[in-house]
Amino acid sequence: GQLMFDRREFEAAIEEFFKVHDERSIPYAPTALLRMAQAQVELANFTTDRDRSRDHARRAVVWAETLLRDFAHSPEATGATVALGRALLREAAVAEDAETSLLVYDRCRKALWARVMKLRDTVEMLDVWLLMGKAAFHLEQPSDVYESMQTLRESPNFEDLSDRQFRDYHFLLG
């Protein structure tokens, strides 16, 4: 499954990871769930059809939430939190209407906030703060955006921002 994931053959990778998850191979289940969520996020982001994109995003949410519920203390929990945030942001972006979109952005913000205190301060946490800032941005809550960016700035990993993260940080801070 990982080779297919790396080659961006997400549909085939999901099938392989599902087999691992379905066989209840406990040592590999968190990784399989994380990769299924990440693959669904990729499919959601690169599918031009709004309905299919929303469907992929919703599936990603299910896989990420399953990992966070069943393997909350696994190392993959941080990645699942990032995948959950990305999936919810995508679901909100392709929602049926503006009201539903705002509800999903709010769900994203709340879901990420609920996970923040349970996660270690890792490089992935930079993405979590950026995702929280993006959700607050779409909810037109500038003070929450600013607070998320200030928290991100105080992270010991701030110097490790990728170019994309650095641009997102400055966009949201601006």
Side-chain angles (χ1 to χ4, degrees):
Q2 185 63 44
L3 290 173
M4 291 175 214
F5 186 88
D6 292 341
R7 289 191 308 233
R8 302 185 63 78
E9 297 171 6
F10 298 118
E11 300 273 355
I14 290 168
E15 288 179 30
E16 292 303 312
F17 287 127
F18 186 78
K19 290 176 189 173
V20 172
H21 172 262
D22 199 40
E23 292 170 1
R24 297 285 186 232
S25 180
I26 296 301
Y28 303 107
T31 301
L33 287 165
L34 176 59
R35 294 293 182 257
M36 286 190 291
Q38 290 171 330
Q40 290 290 358
V41 168
E42 292 294 323
L43 289 168
N45 286 334
F46 295 105
T47 300
T48 55
D49 179 85
R50 291 175 70 86
D51 292 335
R52 289 187 63 212
S53 181
R54 189 170 39 254
D55 185 50
H56 287 300
R58 287 177 177 162
R59 287 187 213 166
V61 168
V62 169
W63 294 124
E65 287 178 336
T66 300
L67 191 158
L68 291 169
R69 182 191 65 236
D70 295 348
F71 303 98
H73 300 293
S74 72
E76 290 84 359
T78 304
T81 302
V82 172
L84 176 62
R86 289 182 177 154
L88 288 169
L89 285 179
R90 183 60 184 167
E91 183 181 343
V94 294
E96 297 91 352
D97 55 63
E99 183 178 337
T100 302
S101 180
L102 291 175
L103 290 172
V104 177
Y105 282 126
D106 191 51
R107 178 179 173 207
C108 177
R109 187 182 54 76
K110 289 176 180 175
L112 293 174
W113 181 251
R115 298 289 312 158
V116 162
M117 302 311 283
K118 297 174 185 169
L119 299 173
R120 292 179 244 154
D121 201 9
T122 62
V123 174
E124 291 86 2
M125 281 303 298
L126 300 172
D127 273 322
V128 173
W129 289 113
L130 286 167
L131 293 167
M132 287 177 60
K134 288 177 184 180
F137 174 81
H138 289 288
L139 290 166
E140 298 181 8
Q141 298 174 340
S143 61
D144 288 350
V145 174
Y146 182 74
E147 182 180 327
S148 294
M149 295 308 97
Q150 286 302 105
T151 304
L152 176 112
R153 179 66 182 103
E154 295 167 5
S155 168
N157 298 308
F158 182 77
E159 299 301 320
D160 298 326
L161 285 174
S162 69
D163 289 341
R164 178 198 51 82
Q165 291 170 322
F166 188 74
R167 284 190 304 271
D168 288 351
Y169 166 76
H170 282 285
F171 172 79
L172 291 167
L173 191 60

